[in-house]
Amino acid sequence: MRLCMVERRVISCGTGEVVKVKGHQQQQQQHRRVSCRSVLVAVLVLGVVFLSLLSLGGAAICRSMNCLWWRYGRGTFGGSSSQELMNELKLGLLEVEKVDMELKLLETAPQSFGDLVADMSSDPHQDIKAFALKIKAMMLLLEQILNVRHSIELARLRESVSRHLASIDIPKSMHCLSLILLEEYYRNALARSPLPPPEYVSHLNNHSFVHLALLTDNVLAAAVVVSSTIKSSANPENLVFHIIADKKSYATMHSWFALNPAFSAVVEVKGLHQLEWPSHVSASIMETVKIHQITWDHSYHGTSNDKYQRLEALRPSSQSLLNHLIIHLPELFPELDKIIFLHDDVVVCRDLSPLWDLDLKGKVNGAVRTAEGKGDYCIGETFGDYLNFSNMKVSIQFDRHQCAWKDGMNIFDLNAWRRSNISETYLHWLKLNHESGFAFWRLGSSMPPALIAFEGHTYSIPPSWHLWGLGHRPPEDDELLRSSAVLHFSGPAKPWLQIGFPVLRNLWHAHVNQSNEFVKSCRDPE
């Protein structure tokens, strides 16, 4: 007996099975096929929505593909419900719509209050909603501008901090050299030899010689100044160098020049702790140092939120005791009538004898001026670039267009200085600035009180004597490098630092004694 059986093959839609029904089950087959199509359509719709969100820039919801995979890929297959997925997709769409709305508002934003008034006046029938939207658009525009300005300011501050950290760096080679010289001073009697040797002591006060002064704690820089000056001199036997170091650097400085004598010239090295002054001079110097210390404390620890001012306060020159003593040169060298003063970041490229013989016309300070003014040699800055002329006390006593001058290479008539009240005027204005709440000039520089003190006492010398600012940028004209008597690396990019400009660093390193055994042993690896 053959049994008539209904042939069935059942494969479910969800698992890949196909349902075939014969006979009386055809109606059930149609229902199941409709259900399967519905599921496929729903999946396709969700896929389209998901891809649309990606094409709109998934950053509105997630910032990376990893995030999108975690939310939608890993989250879905990891067990998140379809309702949670739909909720997140809705939130993403709302975020995209919000961004689009803000962009459209920004396109219609009035650029100023005047534009807003003009726009509202052109259509007096605008309702309060339109007015509110325009105000909102202006607020969004202002917020964008503030964000951009904040980003720019933050980038500038980071650049300033990086430049500052690079500028105060001490290369390993220089640190190594100082340690070796210090060791030599205490274990090698030759490193403690008198400077100058006894037979040359009489040169120190002989006015027929050319006297040059350096106040520095940088051994290698001092060596370059002395070496370049001797090489550039027509008569190096007429040169006498007076080097004053602080107590910390005195031993290394003395050791270098004792072991590496400057042949032909005479070099004297003294430490601040070895100098003796009358009591009234000591009191004046201590008061100057004290006011500078108070000024520095205000610059760094004051209530001002000026981050750049704090960086200025951290500059080595702002904290250097030697730098504050320059105003007391007549007391440092009481037996000299005249002196050429050099900073330790200079290279001398021409004979300085003509500068020594220059007639200062009764003035105290021979210097290159840095501003266009009434003088014959004025090429840059004025008193207005240093002093605060919004302060009444400053504006009624000084001319903002008065020609300024540069320090770093100066010739001083010390006798004329002693007959003046320059040092007293300098200290007087330091005190006034302190009492005024530091309102007379920007803190961090010793030039403003010096400009005031030397007003009327400065003689303009030709600009070819002094090329400054080489620590900020190289000159546009190479002829300036070839024609200038003194190259001054004022600025953060000192030639002994890696941030120094290569072409300028070579000019400085040419005067470093590379054959010296200590320099070779401390040389940085190539």
Side-chain angles (χ1 to χ4, degrees):
M1 178 177 176
R2 181 179 294 179
L3 297 176
C4 296
M5 301 180 66
V6 178
E7 180 184 353
R8 297 184 181 179
R9 289 178 58 199
V10 180
I11 302 177
S12 134
C13 292
T15 61
E17 297 178 341
V18 178
V19 179
K20 287 189 177 181
V21 182
K22 289 186 178 181
H24 62 276
Q25 293 184 350
Q26 289 179 351
Q27 187 175 0
Q28 182 180 358
Q29 173 191 11
Q30 291 175 356
H31 285 303
R32 291 187 180 181
R33 286 179 180 172
V34 170
S35 176
C36 186
R37 288 192 190 122
S38 300
V39 172
L40 289 173
V41 170
V43 170
L44 287 174
V45 169
L46 287 175
V48 170
V49 171
F50 176 71
L51 292 175
S52 299
L53 283 173
L54 287 178
S55 64
L56 285 172
I61 306 171
C62 284
R63 293 289 179 184
S64 68
M65 289 302 297
N66 289 335
C67 175
L68 289 168
W69 164 252
W70 189 89
R71 275 195 185 179
Y72 302 114
R74 181 179 178 278
T76 301
F77 297 109
S80 295
S81 68
S82 59
Q83 185 61 43
E84 291 175 349
L85 177 61
M86 291 302 298
N87 289 339
E88 291 206 22
L89 291 175
K90 288 178 182 178
L91 290 173
L93 288 173
L94 289 175
E95 187 69 25
V96 171
E97 290 176 1
K98 179 181 177 183
V99 172
D100 288 341
M101 183 185 71
E102 289 183 353
L103 289 174
K104 290 176 182 178
L105 274 176
L106 283 172
E107 293 175 359
T108 63
Q111 299 298 308
S112 66
F113 180 73
D115 291 342
L116 176 64
V117 173
D119 185 51
M120 298 304 295
S121 301
S122 64
D123 186 3
H125 300 294
Q126 292 187 64
D127 57 13
I128 190 66
K129 181 179 179 181
F131 178 75
L133 286 174
K134 285 185 170 57
I135 293 297
K136 182 177 181 180
M138 291 186 71
M139 292 176 66
L140 287 172
L141 182 62
L142 177 61
E143 183 179 359
Q144 272 200 350
I145 293 173
L146 292 176
N147 287 338
V148 170
R149 288 181 178 175
H150 176 71
S151 299
I152 294 174
E153 184 67 19
L154 187 60
R156 285 177 178 171
L157 181 60
R158 286 173 177 167
E159 180 188 6
S160 297
V161 171
S162 299
R163 189 188 303 115
H164 169 74
L165 292 176
S167 68
I168 64 174
D169 181 38
I170 300 176
K172 291 181 180 179
S173 58
M174 296 181 73
H175 184 63
C176 167
L177 181 63
S178 296
L179 292 177
I180 290 179
L181 290 172
L182 184 62
E183 181 183 4
E184 285 293 312
Y185 182 82
Y186 287 108
R187 77 175 184 86
N188 186 351
L190 288 177
R192 298 191 300 276
S193 301
L195 286 176
E199 61 269 27
Y200 294 107
V201 170
S202 61
H203 289 49
L204 298 179
N205 303 321
N206 191 327
H207 299 160
S208 63
F209 290 92
V210 176
H211 294 270
L212 305 101
L214 282 84
L215 276 64
T216 178
D217 58 0
N218 189 323
V219 177
L220 201 57
V224 167
V225 173
V226 171
S227 174
S228 63
T229 305
I230 292 174
K231 289 179 182 178
S232 303
S233 176
N235 300 291
E237 65 278 2
N238 289 336
L239 300 177
V240 179
F241 293 91
H242 304 266
I243 301 176
I244 296 181
D246 57 20
K247 189 174 183 178
K248 179 183 65 176
S249 60
Y250 167 73
T252 57
M253 193 76 67
H254 191 285
S255 181
W256 172 268
F257 287 102
L259 297 174
N260 300 276
F263 295 107
S264 301
V266 173
V267 177
E268 174 193 32
V269 177
K270 280 190 174 182
L272 284 177
H273 58 289
Q274 298 174 323
L275 300 178
E276 296 180 0
W277 296 298
S279 57
H280 69 281
V281 174
S282 296
S284 177
I285 291 175
M286 291 302 296
E287 191 170 13
T288 301
V289 172
K290 180 181 178 181
I291 296 294
H292 274 297
Q293 182 61 49
I294 293 172
T295 303
W296 185 90
D297 287 339
H298 178 79
S299 299
Y300 189 73
H301 298 292
T303 57
S304 172
N305 293 322
D306 189 346
K307 300 178 180 64
Y308 298 100
Q309 179 176 298
R310 296 186 71 184
L311 285 176
E312 285 285 325
L314 291 175
R315 290 189 310 163
S317 60
S318 298
Q319 305 176 68
S320 171
L321 174 61
L322 294 169
N323 192 47
H324 301 328
L325 294 181
I326 296 173
I327 195 63
H328 294 286
L329 280 179
E331 289 79 29
L332 293 175
F333 304 103
E335 298 179 349
L336 293 180
D337 295 338
K338 186 165 56 172
I339 202 162
I340 294 175
F341 177 76
L342 298 172
H343 279 187
D344 61 6
D345 55 350
V346 306
V347 170
V348 178
C349 304
R350 205 167 73 212
D351 184 18
L352 297 182
S353 298
L355 179 66
W356 179 260
D357 296 330
L358 195 64
D359 183 5
L360 298 182
K361 310 295 183 184
K363 303 293 186 180
V364 174
N365 175 22
V368 172
R369 292 190 180 270
T370 64
E372 295 183 0
K374 300 177 182 178
D376 295 331
Y377 308 106
C378 296
I379 49 172
E381 295 168 325
T382 66
F383 273 40
D385 296 307
Y386 290 95
L387 303 179
N388 177 21
F389 277 85
S390 63
N391 184 281
M392 184 67 68
K393 192 171 184 63
V394 172
S395 61
I396 63 175
Q397 296 196 51
F398 306 104
D399 178 7
R400 69 167 59 247
H401 304 293
Q402 172 70 26
C403 187
W405 53 271
K406 271 295 178 184
D407 62 344
M409 198 293 297
N410 308 83
I411 178 168
F412 292 110
D413 184 335
L414 298 180
N415 281 335
W417 191 334
R418 294 182 185 104
R419 293 193 297 267
S420 71
N421 60 348
I422 289 174
S423 299
E424 292 79 4
T425 302
Y426 183 95
L427 182 56
H428 172 72
W429 277 91
L430 278 182
K431 292 178 180 177
L432 284 180
N433 188 48
H434 174 215
E435 294 166 0
S436 70
F438 305 97
F440 292 164
W441 56 77
R442 181 174 57 87
L443 300 178
S445 172
S446 60
M447 273 306 292
L451 290 177
I452 294 174
F454 281 96
E455 186 190 17
H457 298 283
T458 300
Y459 178 80
S460 296
I461 63 176
S464 61
W465 280 111
H466 183 193
L467 178 62
W468 69 91
L470 300 182
H472 289 288
R473 65 188 66 84
E476 297 178 359
D477 186 1
D478 290 342
E479 179 59 29
L480 288 174
L481 292 175
R482 292 188 290 270
S483 62
S484 297
V486 174
L487 305 180
H488 188 185
F489 294 87
S490 55
K494 302 300 183 187
W496 53 81
L497 300 175
Q498 288 297 321
I499 61 172
F501 304 103
V503 64
L504 301 178
R505 291 183 68 200
N506 293 336
L507 294 174
W508 188 85
H509 280 279
H511 297 282
V512 175
N513 184 3
Q514 303 292 349
S515 63
N516 180 273
E517 60 174 319
F518 299 149
V519 173
K520 285 195 294 185
S521 64
C522 291
R523 187 176 298 159
D524 289 327
E526 297 294 336

